[in-house]
Amino acid sequence: MLIKRNANGIDLPFPSEITPRHVFESRRTFIKQMALGSIAAAAPDLLIRDAFAQSGPKLPATRNAAFMVMDKPTSYKDATSYNNFYEFGTEKTDPVGAAGSLRTRPWTVAIEGEVRKPMTLDIDSLLKLAPLEERIYRLRCVEGWSMVIPWIGYSFSEIIKRVEPTGNAKYVEFTTLADRKQMPGLRSPVLEWPYVEGLRLDEASHPLTLLTLGMYGEVLPNQNGAPVRIVVPWKYGFKSAKSIVKIRFVKDQPKTAWNISAPQEYGFYSNVNPEVDHPRWSQASERRIGEDGFLKPKRKTLMFNGYSEVASLYTGMDLKKFY
Ligand SMILES: Nc1nc2c(c(=O)[nH]1)N[C@H]1C(S)=C(S)[C@@H](COP(=O)(O)O)O[C@H]1N2
Ligand SMILES: [Mo]
């Protein structure tokens, strides 16, 4: 990916990553209270949005305690102003300014291919398809930074159940919107458009794989992939395709945008793996956005981004070969 680096090979922090002390302190109190259960008992829903006082359209959801990492969530401001969404430009600060031109309604997602029940769902049907849950996941970008985000959605397996894949379905391909009128970044040939991603069917079926419609108690901001994206927390961030318009169940391993662009750097699997370096940098550690300035040491990157429950999906596979 295109990263700016200083002389030490460290990518430079964005000014908003330096969190003011009082904000940090109040968050710490909040996290402590949450751990003690005093907030959770009083207000199980929309907890995160209330804590960070957001203003966009609300999206009620119930927290799912089984899918909550204990790390301090990234601030809403950082999560919505430091983005990779190349359809709106290649700079981290581009999408927050440019994604306002994305029209998220009407919006449909066509689900097709090797399924008994192909369907086209509009965004309201997707919102009603299964109960909305709030889950706090780590997101590790292949570039060496990470965030902790309270997403809203439900397991992608809810979709899989309804479309009934045939025996030929081995992979799922996600195609995202590519509309030059709405997306100024498409003028650049930095990637092949549309942005496509894919998962093996068992990866797509894993309960962690989240069909995502919101974050921080609200509908997804455009720059985070409105109105619907996928989030696959044990893989590098680029597997989590934004603004999806088509989902295809297929027999053969699909092409993926970053693999087309640089196959020796970005494989199909792209599991977070501190033992497999990117050809141009180490993947052993990461910078947590908003938490660390120059003074704080980087965090160690965890195998599968800490989601060790997915390890059984890869039994017997050489993860250096299938990077
Ligand atoms: N359509 C599309 N999806 C995308 C990208 C993109 O450029 N286009 N960037 C990916 C990358 S590299 C990352 S790290 C995550 C960032 O998601 P976030 O901005 O919500 O944190 O989105 C992923 N999904
Ligand atoms: Mo990324």
Side-chain angles (χ1 to χ4, degrees):
M1 305 210 171
L2 313 167
I3 340 185
K4 292 211 178 103
R5 323 195 116 221
N6 68 11
N8 303 319
I10 296 162
D11 47 334
L12 297 163
F14 186 63
S16 70
E17 287 166 32
I18 298 144
T19 310
R21 187 179 181 84
H22 68 278
V23 176
F24 176 72
E25 296 293 352
S26 69
R27 262 187 232 153
R28 277 228 299 233
T29 312
F30 162 66
I31 298 296
K32 247 187 254 159
Q33 286 175 320
M34 193 164 74
L36 293 170
S38 54
I39 296 178
D45 299 342
L46 300 175
L47 192 66
I48 300 300
R49 192 215 67 244
D50 291 350
F52 294 106
Q54 303 318 315
S55 53
K58 294 177 188 179
L59 188 61
T62 306
R63 295 172 69 204
N64 186 332
F67 295 93
M68 309 274 281
V69 297
M70 287 298 126
D71 311 27
K72 174 169 65 79
T74 301
S75 76
Y76 177 88
K77 187 170 184 292
D78 284 343
T80 55
S81 59
Y82 186 90
N83 302 101
N84 275 334
F85 198 169
Y86 278 21
E87 289 86 335
F88 295 102
T90 56
E91 297 288 328
K92 298 283 177 289
T93 47
D94 286 340
V96 63
S101 55
L102 178 66
R103 285 190 315 271
T104 57
R105 272 172 191 269
W107 188 283
T108 55
V109 180
I111 312 174
E112 54 187 49
E114 290 290 349
V115 291
R116 280 182 202 93
K117 294 185 175 159
M119 46 183 87
T120 296
L121 298 172
D122 63 19
I123 209 64
D124 292 311
S125 315
L126 281 168
L127 284 164
K128 282 184 293 204
L129 188 112
L132 294 175
E133 297 174 9
E134 180 175 71
R135 301 183 182 185
I136 304 185
Y137 282 170
R138 291 185 203 95
L139 180 134
R140 170 59 156 82
C141 178
V142 75
E143 296 166 342
W145 50 266
S146 62
M147 296 197 195
V148 178
I149 300 185
W151 302 110
I152 297 172
Y154 44 79
S155 292
F156 182 68
S157 61
E158 297 286 350
I159 302 266
I160 300 180
K161 272 200 312 225
R162 284 164 179 83
V163 297
E164 299 178 16
T166 70
N168 289 330
K170 302 285 185 243
Y171 295 88
V172 185
E173 177 192 63
F174 301 93
T175 304
T176 77
L177 184 71
D179 180 354
R180 283 175 152 255
K181 292 196 288 288
Q182 301 181 57
M183 299 173 138
L186 299 191
R187 283 194 291 261
S188 155
V190 61
L191 288 173
E192 227 175 67
W193 312 110
Y195 190 102
V196 284
E197 255 308 333
L199 296 171
R200 223 168 52 190
L201 185 61
D202 59 345
E203 298 178 319
S205 307
H206 194 280
L208 278 168
T209 301
L210 192 70
L211 196 283
T212 306
L213 298 148
M215 60 192 254
Y216 297 85
E218 301 179 351
V219 302
L220 274 179
N222 288 357
Q223 63 270 32
N224 293 90
V228 57
R229 70 179 294 179
I230 199 84
V231 175
V232 194
W234 71 93
K235 293 177 179 283
Y236 291 118
F238 65 86
K239 298 294 287 182
S240 295
K242 293 175 169 180
S243 304
I244 293 168
V245 292
K246 200 199 297 180
I247 299 173
R248 229 183 135 70
F249 289 74
V250 294
K251 213 167 128 223
D252 300 315
Q253 184 177 299
K255 288 186 173 172
T256 60
W258 278 101
N259 184 253
I260 296 168
S261 139
Q264 66 294 343
E265 301 192 356
Y266 310 108
F268 176 79
Y269 284 92
S270 292
N271 292 317
V272 174
N273 189 341
E275 288 160 24
V276 177
D277 288 340
H278 186 281
R280 292 184 281 134
W281 58 82
S282 162
Q283 292 292 25
S285 64
E286 66 201 54
R287 195 164 55 82
R288 182 63 55 81
I289 297 296
E291 190 181 70
D292 48 354
F294 285 117
L295 301 175
K296 199 152 180 189
K298 287 180 153 196
R299 288 176 174 248
K300 275 193 168 157
T301 288
L302 304 171
M303 186 67 201
F304 300 119
N305 204 20
Y307 298 92
S308 51
E309 63 264 48
V310 302
S312 60
L313 296 175
Y314 309 104
T315 308
M317 282 176 72
D318 178 354
L319 296 180
K320 291 200 161 66
K321 189 169 164 219
F322 297 99
Y323 58 87

